[in-house]
Amino acid sequence: MRALPRWTVPAALAALALAAAAPASASASAALPADAAGPVLTAGGAAVAAGDTLAAPLAAGTSATFYSTATSTTGVTCATSQYSAGVLTNPAAPGVATESLTGLTFDSCTADVTGVTSVESLTVDTLPYGVSVDDATGLPVTLTGGSAGPIQATAVLDTWFGTITCTYQLSGAFTGTADNGGNSLTFTNEHFAKSGGSGLCPADGYFSAGYGPLTDTSRSGAPAVTVN
C-alpha cells in the first residue's frame, strides 16, 4: 500500500479542527448576553424595583427648617422629619427614575417667632407629589405637585392671640440634590408663599432639610439607595 503524502494527515487534522471549532465559537458568541446599562437606582448592588418603598429620616444631627427669609433663622424648626416614596419607574442609566412622594412628616417642632408660643403641627398637604431623580451631573431631584393640587404646607401655631393657621404654597420649582456619599437627599431654601390664613402669619417660608440615609424598605435589611 502506498503511503499518503506527508502533508495529507496534518492538513486533514487541521480541517477537522477548524470544522469542530467554528460551531463552538459561533455557539459561544451567541450565548454571550449583550452589555446592558445598570439602572438609575440600586440598593445593595441590585436594581430598585418599581413598587418598592423608599424612606429616609433627617440626616443625623440636622433639623428641618421653615424660615421667614432665605437668610434668617427665624421661623419653625423641626427635630424630626420622615421622607417616604414609592418607586414608579427605574430605567437604565443614564436616565431619570420617578417616584410618588407619599409622606413628608414633621414632629418635635418649635418656633422662634415673636408672639408664637408653640407649634401644634406642620404638615405637607395635597399628597402625593411626583419625584424625579436624574443621574445627570449633580444628581438633581425635582418634586412636582400632583392631581390633588400644588405643593402646599400648613402650620398651626399657638400665639399670644390664640391659635392661628398659616397655609403656604410652593413658589417656583422644588428642587434638591442626591448625594451617594451619605445616600441622602438635600433641599435648600425651597420658597413657599403664603396662600391663606391669619394676618399674623409670615408672608413667606423657606424650607430646608437633608434626609438620609435613603433606604429601600421593601428589601430585606433595607439597603441604602444609590443613584448611578
Side-chain angles (χ1 to χ4, degrees), residues 102-212:
T102 54
L104 192 60
T105 60
F106 302 92
D107 290 297
S108 302
C109 301
T110 58
D112 179 20
V113 179
T114 301
V116 177
T117 57
S118 64
V119 179
E120 288 199 7
S121 64
L122 176 63
T123 57
V124 172
D125 312 317
T126 63
L127 292 169
Y129 302 147
V131 182
S132 64
V133 182
D134 195 331
D135 62 2
T137 301
L139 304 182
V141 177
T142 304
L143 273 63
T144 55
S147 59
I151 296 175
Q152 178 173 292
T154 299
V156 180
L157 309 172
D158 292 326
T159 76
W160 295 340
F161 309 101
T163 301
I164 63 172
T165 299
C166 306
T167 304
Y168 297 86
Q169 288 187 352
L170 181 68
S171 175
F174 196 124
T175 58
T177 57
D179 181 1
N180 288 330
N183 303 103
S184 62
L185 303 173
T186 301
F187 304 98
T188 304
N189 287 334
E190 300 307 308
H191 181 210
F192 286 74
K194 179 184 169 184
S195 57
S198 169
L200 299 175
C201 300
D204 298 281
Y206 289 81
F207 170 71
S208 297
Y211 295 91

Side-chain angles (χ1 to χ4, degrees), residues 26-50:
S27 175
S29 298
L32 292 174
D35 289 339
V40 173
L41 303 177
T42 57
V48 173

Side-chain angles (χ1 to χ4, degrees), residues 38-79:
V40 173
L41 303 177
T42 57
V48 173
D52 281 6
T53 298
L54 309 184
L58 285 176
T62 70
S63 302
T65 58
F66 199 72
Y67 290 152
S68 56
T69 72
T71 58
S72 77
T73 57
T74 300
V76 174
T77 299
C78 298

Side-chain angles (χ1 to χ4, degrees), residues 3-15:
L4 291 172
R6 295 185 63 183
W7 55 265
T8 305
V9 174
L13 290 175

